[in-house]
Amino acid sequence: MARSTMRPVVKLRSTAGTGVTYVTRKNRRNDPDRLVLRKYDAVAGEHVLFREER
């Protein structure tokens, strides 16, 4: 069974400029805008904002 287009895979890139990325899935119906999550950046050594890339 094919994956739904309602929950696409998105790449989150660190706003600290370190190049660290996370990969996750999001629900387009609940989050139509770009996703922003606060996650741990191992290179920076702290929690920073990660924004969705397209």
Side-chain angles (χ1 to χ4, degrees):
M1 188 164 148
R3 294 230 167 140
S4 171
T5 58
M6 187 56 66
R7 294 190 69 87
V9 175
V10 295
K11 186 186 285 188
L12 303 173
R13 184 168 302 271
S14 174
T15 58
T18 57
V20 176
T21 60
Y22 279 94
V23 177
T24 189
R25 300 176 70 85
K26 78 169 192 176
N27 188 330
R28 283 192 187 180
R29 186 171 294 154
N30 295 340
D31 300 310
D33 300 327
R34 290 192 185 193
L35 194 61
V36 177
L37 296 175
R38 189 168 181 265
K39 298 184 74 64
Y40 185 75
D41 187 336
V43 177
E46 60 186 357
H47 285 83
V48 297
L49 289 178
F50 279 74
R51 296 190 190 277
E52 176 185 341
E53 276 190 341
R54 291 201 179 164

